[in-house]
Amino acid sequence: MERILGIDVGATGIKGNLVDPVKGVVLEDRYKLKTPKDSTPKNVLATVNSIIDHFDWQGLPVGLGFPAIVQHGITRSASNVDKKWLDFSAQEFLQKGTGCPLTMVNDADAAGLAEIVFGQGKGIKGTVILLTLGTGIGSAIFVNGKLLPNTEMGHLKWKDKVLEKYMSNKVREINSQSWKTWGKEFSKGLAHIDFLFSPDVIILGGGISKNFDLYKKYLTGSKCPVVPAKMQNDAGIIGAAMSYIQK
Ligand code: BGC
């Protein structure tokens, strides 16, 4: 059995687990550490190394999802992480610093990959969008199973800022919004995305996907169905590991 360590770097937490990327399942209990407050490459590397140590995974393959544009191993944005990640050879830095063969992709692209192969997007012909809601909003778009990487729908212009500044899960928490208040706002974003891309389904990932039943009735904005990720919050870890074997 092939085993890869999947790591999902988020703005607040860094999670890891061993994954069977062929079956699309996690193999052990997930291990989660806080993202360092000062989320510089050096500090994030130290946390990633603690996860590698936890699984006793020195020198072995790692797939890592990261909350930024990741183009050919270079991080090209840094909305919710330290600005030192901007235009930074991140994959090479993490490979050297961990001593592990390592592939790095955008976190939402990773979650989307898991869902398109094993989850809610499996077998769907046409356009599938996955949105992952945490500190920011990430997106992945697939046409007949093929990913267009690094779309940033959370950064669509919205009022005087961008969409994620109005409707991410963090915004909901900071403003202590009810599911109804937040759901109605998020529904407007879904309507916009639905209008722009005419997807056949929108899948919601991130921590918020497990609470889907509490807000689904407010998500009336899109023509297409909106469903929670089958792998919920593990989608990012599983997809990160899958991206290692797809490289
Ligand atoms: C980042 C994306 C990321 C998303 C979710 C956004 O702020 O720009 O790259 O996918 O947050 O973490």
Side-chain angles (χ1 to χ4, degrees):
M1 177 183 51
E2 187 141 23
R3 293 195 308 163
I4 311 277
L5 176 59
I7 298 183
D8 186 7
V9 177
T12 54
I14 303 185
K15 310 182 280 267
N17 205 341
L18 295 183
V19 173
D20 178 340
V22 179
K23 292 206 178 107
V25 289
V26 291
L27 299 169
E28 294 194 5
D29 286 339
R30 141 182 358 170
Y31 184 58
K32 181 172 177 178
L33 295 172
K34 281 208 168 91
T35 306
K37 258 213 152 62
D38 196 8
S39 57
T40 57
K42 188 167 157 258
N43 292 343
V44 169
L45 168 65
T47 306
V48 166
N49 270 329
S50 303
I51 293 179
I52 289 170
D53 289 347
H54 173 86
F55 289 101
D56 213 4
W57 204 248
Q58 290 78 13
L60 296 167
V62 175
L64 182 138
F66 193 81
I69 296 170
V70 184
Q71 195 173 24
H72 312 304
I74 315 279
T75 35
R76 296 275 184 212
S77 66
S79 313
N80 295 307
V81 288
D82 188 271
K83 299 294 174 244
K84 288 207 174 79
W85 290 96
L86 258 184
D87 298 324
F88 179 67
S89 296
Q91 183 171 285
E92 200 189 330
F93 172 81
L94 291 175
Q95 286 223 23
K96 282 199 181 133
T98 58
C100 294
L102 181 147
T103 299
M104 190 170 180
V105 291
N106 170 263
D107 57 351
D109 286 350
L113 186 59
E115 285 293 317
I116 205 88
V117 177
F118 298 111
Q120 295 277 21
K122 188 177 170 184
I124 294 190
K125 292 236 174 336
T127 305
V128 174
I129 289 180
L130 174 129
L131 297 175
T132 174
L133 283 85
T135 304
I137 295 183
S139 62
I141 185 163
F142 295 83
V143 181
N144 297 330
K146 183 104 179 99
L147 173 70
L148 172 68
N150 290 311
T151 53
E152 286 281 346
M153 295 183 203
H155 289 258
L156 283 167
K157 289 280 174 260
W158 195 259
K159 300 179 192 170
D160 58 337
K161 298 185 195 130
V162 293
L163 209 121
E164 70 176 17
K165 299 286 180 215
Y166 289 92
M167 42 190 100
S168 73
N169 193 34
K170 182 160 180 211
V171 170
R172 182 186 68 81
E173 287 171 357
I174 289 174
N175 298 329
S176 311
Q177 284 172 338
S178 65
W179 289 112
K180 184 176 178 182
T181 306
W182 172 81
K184 285 186 157 181
E185 183 69 11
F186 181 52
S187 184
K188 292 181 202 159
L190 288 175
H192 188 47
I193 288 170
D194 181 72
F195 182 77
L196 291 177
F197 299 101
S198 295
D200 293 283
V201 62
I202 297 177
I203 304 169
L204 299 186
I208 212 165
S209 52
K210 61 178 182 292
N211 301 115
F212 189 71
D213 283 345
L214 301 175
Y215 55 80
K216 65 178 177 196
K217 62 171 175 282
Y218 307 115
L219 308 184
T220 52
S222 61
K223 296 185 292 306
C224 73
V226 180
V227 296
K230 184 177 164 202
M231 277 157 269
Q232 297 190 346
N233 221 0
D234 277 338
I237 294 175
I238 295 173
M242 289 167 69
S243 69
Y244 182 88
I245 56 168
Q246 290 210 341
K247 71 177 179 293

